[in-house]
Amino acid sequence: SNERLKVRVRRTDDTGTVKLWPTNDGGSAGTAHGRFDDQDPIGDGVGYFQVGDELEIEEVLPAPVIAVLAIDHSQGPQVDGKFFHFAIEDVDAYLGRPLRSNERLKVRVRRTDDTGTVKLWPTNDGGSAGTAHGRFDDQDPIGDG
């Protein structure tokens, strides 16, 4: 296949999109190969990667989506929109395991383009829909909203 991932290269601190294939394609080691995407500014990067480089995966593209199903909460209407409820199955599938209480994920809200860290709980807490809930982390600049 031709999976795309957003990564950070630890050695250079560069961030970009890489394409990955499940075949070696002539490399001297490894069982798969990859390179920066043609559309990425680092795209032509001949000689960029070095043996021993470490890539931190920042997000899978297209990014998994958590659909907000409700914004009400057990604390009442004064906090509507501070919390969100969602289907736990969506997050469990992304993580490849059950969601843990107080787990934090970095997200981008497509409607506003805000990016931040959310705290998630594997239970509904008064939402009119959804099987789990979350909110921006208190430490996140968006968290007081």
Side-chain angles (χ1 to χ4, degrees):
S1 76
N2 186 353
E3 187 163 3
R4 293 171 46 231
L5 301 173
K6 185 175 179 186
V7 301
R8 183 178 76 82
V9 180
R10 286 185 176 173
R11 175 179 54 85
T12 62
D13 205 34
D14 290 333
T15 300
T17 301
V18 295
K19 294 194 298 190
L20 303 175
W21 291 270
T23 60
N24 173 288
D25 201 31
S28 58
T31 57
H33 74 286
R35 70 178 195 85
F36 277 107
D37 189 288
D38 293 331
Q39 306 305 313
D40 196 279
I42 308 171
D44 66 358
V46 174
Y48 179 85
F49 290 107
Q50 296 179 9
V51 173
D53 276 353
E54 296 177 323
L55 308 179
E56 293 178 0
I57 298 172
E58 294 190 341
E59 80 183 44
V60 178
L61 302 172
V65 173
I66 300 171
V68 174
L69 304 176
I71 59 168
D72 47 348
H73 190 267
S74 63
Q75 293 177 7
Q78 68 274 14
V79 296
D80 279 1
K82 182 174 186 173
F83 294 87
F84 60 94
H85 285 78
F86 58 94
I88 194 168
E89 301 82 26
D90 293 344
V91 174
D92 287 353
Y94 167 68
L95 295 173
R97 60 170 171 74
L99 174 68
R100 294 190 275 270
S101 191
N102 286 310
E103 191 150 2
R104 289 165 172 80
L105 294 176
K106 185 175 180 182
V107 301
R108 180 178 64 87
V109 179
R110 287 182 179 170
R111 179 180 52 83
T112 62
D113 208 35
D114 288 330
T115 301
T117 301
V118 292
K119 234 182 340 186
L120 303 175
W121 293 272
T123 57
N124 179 305
D125 193 4
S128 56
T131 51
H133 75 288
R135 61 160 285 179
F136 275 103
D137 190 294
D138 293 329
Q139 306 305 311
D140 195 280
I142 306 169
D144 62 2

